[in-house]
């Protein structure tokens, strides 16, 4: 199972070094978030992906920093992937889903920071 996650991580543009982190600890995992079902049209999907990525990747970067280490990758035109501890990737997933559903950026990032404070 872990080997499959590593292969999927590399296939989703993570460097081998980042993907091999999955072998380091049983609690480190790969999470794949497909947003294609959230949008009704390709134009809407592009808008949602842009919201989650943010201008010059700043929202994606802020999500990574708020959880202190998970790696967030954009794959194709409809997927985000995260490598990190289970609680970290669940928090990033929730924040991405909040942003995809239209929550303000501050709300999604504040949620992520609040959850990090619980860890």
């Amino acid at each position: 199972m872990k080997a499959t996650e590593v292969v999927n991580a590399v296939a989703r543009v993570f460097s081998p070094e980042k993907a091999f982190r999955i072998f380091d600890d049983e609690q480190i995992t790969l999470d794949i978030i497909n947003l294609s079902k959230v949008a009704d049209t390709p134009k809407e999907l592009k808008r949602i992906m842009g919201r989650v990525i943010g201008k010059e990747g700043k929202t994606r970067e802020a999500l990574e920093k708020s959880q202190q280490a998970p790696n967030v990758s954009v794959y194709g035109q409809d997927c985000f992937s995260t490598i990190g501890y289970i609680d970290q990737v669940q928090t990033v997933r929730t924040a991405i889903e909040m942003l995809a559903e239209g929550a303000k950026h501050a709300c999604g990032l504040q949620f992520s920071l609040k959850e990090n404070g619980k860890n």
Side-chain angles (χ1 to χ4, degrees):
M1 174 94 153
K2 289 285 186 178
T4 302
E5 285 186 33
V6 170
V7 170
N8 283 332
V10 172
R12 296 196 182 295
V13 302
F14 283 106
S15 69
E17 295 80 20
K18 289 179 181 177
F20 288 149
R21 287 186 53 219
I22 295 169
F23 288 131
D24 293 343
D25 188 322
E26 280 297 313
Q27 297 298 309
I28 295 177
T29 189
L30 170 70
D31 185 34
I32 300 169
I33 306 160
N34 186 331
L35 295 178
S36 64
K37 293 177 176 70
V38 176
D40 294 328
T41 65
K43 185 177 179 179
E44 185 179 9
L45 178 61
K46 186 175 180 178
R47 181 189 60 78
I48 290 169
M49 293 293 287
R51 288 196 81 229
V52 177
I53 295 167
K55 187 176 181 178
E56 298 177 7
K58 289 183 181 178
T59 303
R60 182 195 58 78
E61 185 178 304
L63 285 170
E64 285 182 341
K65 287 181 179 179
S66 72
Q67 289 301 300
Q68 298 177 350
N71 300 109
V72 179
S73 174
V74 179
Y75 177 72
Q77 297 181 8
D78 60 359
C79 287
F80 288 89
S81 301
T82 306
I83 294 175
Y85 287 99
I86 294 169
D87 56 337
Q88 292 173 324
V89 296
Q90 288 173 341
T91 299
V92 170
R93 170 181 278 275
T94 301
I96 287 173
E97 289 171 346
M98 289 172 68
L99 291 170
E101 291 170 4
K104 293 182 179 183
H105 283 90
C107 292
L109 296 175
Q110 284 175 354
F111 169 81
S112 186
L113 286 168
K114 183 177 123 186
E115 289 299 306
N116 186 43
K118 291 181 181 178
N119 298 333

